């Protein structure tokens, strides 16, 4: 098979950061307003009083200390608790495409590529801001790429599924090089009024250049040795928002139209699936866990990552073996493992093996084994 590499990565970080303390202050103010408004019903046992949150609870439950968002003030307004981002006219670049372009420029620079070197654009993320035209085609136009593009969604595993799709396109002769983009505005589908999940997500966008090794010139190239993709249906992570919501007005605005999960079930079921998929991918690549210097895992929950590494290695991870970025970025869905890879790859020597793995709704798990050239 044609050797294929990741030749460049890029990252767009939004301009605003929200600390746990800021988020908790806003949430607890909302709780006070809600409980005061429904005091009579709460006293009668007709409505359950909401409980306040705390920064200590958030960090213990997730490892998250802060997160980046595209807009901050609306989220922290107890009477609003949603980002205030204005609609853009059709003749202006869309918000997700703008994020993609910023991340793509860094990836192209690191890979030593120009727009004319790219034949395919793939936008892979959890939520698209519109149904059509495809975000990827808009990004293609904005960057001046002559080729084709399309969107795909495999929730938090979108980036790794995108990498595997790009590899197939290069090996099949469909494209010389592929630009994979993961624009995640997760603050748009997060329920900031839900104590169990209001702290989980952050916004970001990552970019990845996939091309044949023969054409790669970037300073940091990673050969893709093997990959495995796995899905298994589960309702434990779900969002029912979509165009069919307009058919039943009674459902508009209900909590199921935003992110929701059964966290304990997800933890119990996904961790062994992820560890097993990583082991299977390493075996297919002719490697064992002892041959891997670094694991760039999906950044959803620190406790999940610690457990997965423990399942793989039979011990806790050493410093640097499984980099963490969710403390400052929170869960950025498909972008998380790529942010970790982008930030923690340049220090590794040629011949070093690594694993990029993501997991999430679906359930979906994508694993990519790479070696630095």
């Amino acid at each position: 098979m044609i050797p294929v590499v990741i030749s460049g990565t890029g990252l767009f970080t939004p301009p605003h950061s929200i600390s746990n303390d800021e988020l908790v202050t806003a949430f607890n103010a909302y709780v006070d307003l809600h409980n005061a408004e429904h005091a009579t019903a709460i006293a009668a046992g007709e409505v359950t009083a909401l409980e306040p949150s705390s920064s200590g609870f958030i960090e213990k439950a997730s490892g998250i200390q802060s997160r980046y968002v595209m807009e901050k003030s609306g989220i922290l307004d107890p009477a609003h608790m949603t980002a205030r981002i204005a609609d853009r006219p059709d003749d202006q670049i869309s918000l997700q495409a703008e994020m993609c372009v910023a991340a793509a420029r860094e990836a192209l620079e690191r890979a030593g590529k120009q727009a004319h070197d790219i034949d395919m654009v793939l936008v892979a993320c959890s939520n698209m801001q519109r149904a059509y035209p495809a975000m990827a085609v808009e990004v293609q136009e904005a960057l001046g790429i002559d080729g084709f593009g399309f969107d795909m969604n495999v929730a938090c595993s979108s980036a790794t599924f995108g990498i595997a799709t790009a590899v197939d396109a290069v090996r099949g002769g469909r494209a010389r090089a592929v630009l994979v983009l993961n624009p995640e505005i997760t603050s748009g589908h997060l329920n900031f009024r839900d104590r169990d999940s209001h702290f989980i997500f952050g916004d970001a966008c990552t970019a990845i250049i996939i091309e044949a090794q023969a054409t790669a010139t970037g300073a940091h190239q990673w050969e893709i040795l093997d990959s495995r993709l796995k899905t298994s249906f589960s309702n434990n992570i779900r969002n029912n928002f979509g165009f069919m919501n307009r058919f039943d007005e009674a459902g508009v605005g209900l909590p199921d139209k935003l992110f929701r999960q059964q966290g304990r079930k997800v933890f119990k079921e996904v961790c062994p699936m992820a560890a097993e998929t990583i082991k299977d991918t390493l075996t297919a690549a002719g490697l064992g866990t002892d041959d891997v210097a670094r694991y760039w895992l999906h950044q959803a929950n620190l406790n999940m990552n610690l457990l997965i590494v423990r399942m793989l290695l039979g011990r806790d991870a050493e410093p640097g073996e499984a980099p963490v970025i969710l403390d400052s970025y929170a869960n950025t869905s498909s972008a998380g493992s790529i942010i970790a890879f982008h930030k923690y790859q340049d220090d590794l020597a040629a011949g070093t093996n690594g694993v990029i793995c993501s997991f999430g709704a679906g359930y979906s798990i994508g694993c990519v084994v790479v070696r630095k050239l």
Side-chain angles (χ1 to χ4, degrees):
M1 292 189 295
I2 298 172
V4 176
V5 301
I6 298 173
S7 60
T9 55
L11 169 64
F12 168 78
T13 299
H16 307 289
S17 178
I18 299 177
S19 68
N20 285 349
D21 286 346
E22 290 176 295
L23 198 66
V24 165
T25 296
F27 177 80
N28 288 349
Y30 159 72
V31 168
D32 291 341
L33 289 171
H34 175 276
N35 289 346
E37 181 181 352
H38 298 88
T40 302
I42 291 172
E46 299 169 356
V47 173
T48 301
L50 298 181
E51 296 182 14
S53 187
S54 71
S55 295
F57 161 72
I58 292 173
E59 189 163 358
K60 181 178 180 180
S62 65
I64 296 168
Q65 298 174 14
S66 62
R67 71 283 298 143
Y68 291 96
V69 293
M70 295 302 292
E71 198 280 333
K72 180 175 180 174
S73 64
I75 293 171
L76 296 182
D77 179 352
H80 189 72
M81 303 198 79
T82 305
R84 292 189 178 97
I85 299 176
D87 272 348
R88 295 183 175 185
D90 291 352
D91 60 356
Q92 185 177 349
I93 189 170
S94 65
L95 185 58
Q96 278 188 307
E98 185 178 82
M99 296 167 69
C100 285
V101 168
R105 294 199 190 284
E106 182 179 11
L108 288 166
E109 182 178 356
R110 282 178 60 89
K113 296 295 177 186
Q114 301 293 325
H116 61 75
D117 297 313
I118 307 296
D119 293 327
M120 171 178 161
V121 178
L122 174 55
V123 169
C125 63
S126 290
N127 290 80
M128 303 292 174
Q129 67 180 78
R130 63 170 183 263
Y132 43 81
M135 205 66 59
V137 180
E138 183 180 10
V139 175
Q140 175 193 348
E141 171 72 14
L143 290 172
I145 292 171
D146 181 19
F148 66 97
F150 61 93
D151 298 344
M152 64 182 291
N153 176 357
V154 202
C156 293
S157 295
S158 295
T160 47
F161 275 63
I163 291 172
T165 302
V167 169
D168 290 343
V170 172
R171 285 185 173 151
R174 182 75 66 182
R176 295 167 300 160
V178 181
L179 173 61
V180 180
L181 299 155
N182 320 111
E184 295 288 6
I185 309 180
T186 55
S187 59
H189 61 95
L190 180 55
N191 186 354
F192 286 100
R193 295 181 174 90
D194 177 23
R195 181 179 183 272
D196 291 333
S197 66
H198 75 111
F199 55 86
I200 290 178
F201 289 109
D203 301 339
C205 181
T206 47
I208 313 151
I209 305 290
I210 308 289
E211 63 177 311
Q213 181 185 336
T215 64
T217 59
H220 299 280
Q221 299 176 31
W222 291 85
E223 182 181 1
I224 298 172
L225 303 181
D226 215 319
S227 64
R228 288 291 183 274
L229 308 176
K230 183 177 179 61
T231 53
S232 177
F233 184 74
S234 170
N235 276 320
N236 290 332
I237 309 173
R238 190 169 177 120
N239 182 339
N240 287 332
F241 183 77
F243 70 89
M244 291 183 66
N245 296 160
R246 68 193 296 265
F247 295 163
D248 184 359
E249 293 181 2
V252 174
L254 293 183
D256 75 307
K257 305 308 186 292
L258 297 170
F259 166 86
R260 70 191 198 280
Q261 69 171 352
Q262 298 185 52
R264 290 182 178 85
K265 288 184 178 180
V266 172
F267 191 101
K268 181 179 179 180
E269 295 169 5
V270 168
C271 288
M273 287 177 62
E276 181 182 1
T277 303
I278 291 172
K279 287 180 180 178
D280 289 347
T281 314
L282 286 171
T283 298
L287 301 173
T289 54
D290 291 341
D291 300 312
V292 178
R294 189 159 291 170
Y295 294 88
W296 299 282
L297 300 181
H298 173 47
Q299 304 287 309
N301 181 288
L302 179 60
N303 298 313
M304 290 184 73
N305 286 12
L306 292 175
L307 178 58
I308 291 169
V309 172
R310 200 175 298 125
M311 287 177 167
L312 290 169
L313 305 180
R315 58 172 175 80
D316 291 337
E318 297 290 338
E321 278 188 301
V324 174
I325 59 91
L326 67 81
D327 54 345
S328 57
Y329 277 82
N331 181 348
T332 52
S333 193
S334 66
S337 59
I338 308 304
I339 296 174
F341 178 64
H342 174 76
K343 286 181 168 287
Y344 295 98
Q345 59 157 298
D346 291 357
D347 63 308
L348 296 175
T352 301
N353 300 312
V355 168
I356 304 170
C357 183
S358 57
F359 36 87
Y363 296 131
S364 59
I365 300 176
C367 181
V368 182
V369 178
V370 295
R371 176 177 294 157
K372 192 164 189 180
L373 299 178

